[in-house]
Amino acid sequence: MVSGTLMLLQVLLVQNCYLRRHVKRNSNTSSPNGFSVGDTSVVGRSLLHTYASPLASSSSSSSSSSSSLGRFLSHKNKVGLTIAAYSRTGEDATYHNCATPTKRSQRRRVVEGINEKSIDGGSGKKAVIKFSNELKRWIRMGKVETAEEELLHRLRQYDLNASKLMPDRVHFGIVVNGWAKSGSIERAEALVEKMELLSIEEGKCWLNPNAVVYNTLISAYARKGNVDKALSILDKMEHMYFVEDNISVKPDLLTCNFVMDAIVKSYHRGSNRGPVAAQQAEALIERMERCYGVTPDVISYNLAINAWVKSNEPDAARHAERLLRAMIDRAEGGDIESKPDLFTYNSILNAWAKSKEAGSARRAHELLDAMERVYKYAGTESAIKPNFQSYSTVINAYAKSSDPNSGEKASELLGRMTGMYNAGQKDLKPDLITYTGVMQAIIKDTNDFSHLDAAHRATKMLNYIESVYDQTGDEQFRPDRSVYNLVLEAWSKSSAKKADAMKRSIQDRMIQRNICSYRNPLRRSVRVLKHRKRMR
């Protein structure tokens, strides 16, 4: 009994190897046993019954088993079967009969839509690649219409047996991508619908769109911020995967990231989609793991964080920081793909800078200090180094903050940036925007500075900005109207006797540099006339 069972397993193993290694694509002829390729599932069942049944019985002898095995081996050069004969029957076999690769890697390519057995001019793979390059060349020339016409023409030739080159979903995907990148998303979607019709109505199963094709559409709609279309395509892929058991359209990491990109871009200023978009993006991260078995990466989390930053919700910064903690926990657990990067930290800093919560600037400063400490003690390979944007964002947070000591903290950050720049970190060079943020923080901070002190410090910074620009011509230090208006505001708030004289001096310097302190050109003209009158 035991020996018979072992022999049965041996027969099945040999048969499996045979069916995988000896595949011949001959859809127009019959097999040596009289079965056509369409009847290969019958052949497979017959072989299993003929050569395995003697071993299935406990009363079978080892000699009969050896005889059955010998007869099976003698047939291996006489019977040509497709992979569908062993793995699928009925309608499912039709899908695998579209192409019959001889290797496992080729079978994988057939599933992805690459038809290497299509022969045109005697070279299958070369012909397929040549046609793909031809389509890409038309698209690079901006002639997507010509590429589509040529694609459909080749498909008609194949149907009429005028050409052995069989256009597949890869070729269609090239043209779909061409339409999507040209901005004609409707044409791209129409071509995908044509692929679906050809697959269903005409039995061209090799043209059935896969996840790559649908991802192209979602990416195109994401660039336009059309979240409704992106979500509808995702729902369609889910239905095909879960209900129709079509594994080729299973949503993957790119699918989810493209949809989240559409969600983020769907928000625009003045709309009420901010909170909804942020909730949708965060829910999609949970949906990725629960429904698709896809692990979100750093891009997924960054998109969700960015959605919260743009939402302008009162607690947006706390939601964003919660996602940051989740990323850190996953990274510490071994998921390197979820490790936060510099964009992640700068997004959290920006969220706190935009927050109206009390102490938001202090929270941003604490996060910046933590980044510096980790970078200093953990080394450059495992830590994130704060960049110019990191420091400028925290300074901007203090400029908008009403927290006490905001002016002093902003000045301290400016000094830190200047020191690191002088030490050789040229990417941390402060510019006009940096100084403007510090000036705003000083003027608003009435705890550390009196109005007169703030006006003097703002004027000193303005003098430095003008001197740097005059000496070096550095455009990053070109003084503009905003920096002069800040100094004028500082002197207006002071009760000093020389406030009016200082304001006139500042205005004269603006006129000399042809800078208007008013948005109305007429008011500027009046100011220029008065200045010229005084100069006489």
Side-chain angles (χ1 to χ4, degrees), residues 305-410:
I305 289 173
N306 196 25
W308 278 115
V309 173
K310 289 186 174 183
S311 69
N312 290 329
E313 282 288 281
D315 56 348
R318 295 187 180 276
H319 285 289
E321 197 167 86
R322 175 172 49 81
L323 289 174
L324 172 63
R325 287 196 297 269
M327 295 175 70
I328 295 174
D329 292 341
R330 295 182 70 105
E332 291 177 350
D335 185 5
I336 304 301
E337 297 298 325
S338 299
K339 181 181 178 181
D341 57 10
L342 183 60
F343 182 86
T344 311
Y345 284 101
N346 284 345
S347 297
I348 305 297
L349 292 175
N350 189 29
W352 282 117
K354 296 175 65 176
S355 176
K356 296 180 180 179
E357 285 190 34
S360 58
R362 176 181 53 82
R363 293 290 295 270
H365 200 165
E366 290 174 353
L367 180 59
L368 178 65
D369 289 341
M371 293 172 64
E372 287 184 332
R373 286 194 302 270
V374 172
Y375 178 76
K376 180 178 180 180
Y377 295 108
T380 57
E381 295 183 358
S382 58
I384 304 299
K385 177 185 177 182
N387 63 354
F388 174 84
Q389 182 182 350
S390 308
Y391 291 98
S392 296
T393 302
V394 179
I395 290 176
N396 185 42
Y398 280 119
K400 297 177 180 179
S401 174
S402 57
D403 296 344
N405 306 324
S406 58
E408 188 63 34
K409 293 293 185 181

Side-chain angles (χ1 to χ4, degrees), residues 63 83 87 107 138 150 155 167 172 203 225 271-272 477 501 519 523:
S63 60
I83 294 175
S87 60
R107 183 179 183 183
W138 286 115
E150 181 67 18
L155 184 61
F172 275 80
S271 69
N272 57 354
F477 277 86
R519 294 184 182 273
R523 298 184 65 181

Side-chain angles (χ1 to χ4, degrees), residues 2 21 35 43 46 92 99 121-122 129 167 169 171 220 224 245 248 293 298 333 336 355 372 437:
V2 176
R21 293 177 180 275
F35 294 97
V43 177
S46 299
D92 289 341
I129 296 175
R169 73 182 68 168
H171 299 122
K224 297 289 185 180
D245 198 23
S248 67
V298 61
I336 304 301
S355 176
E372 287 184 332

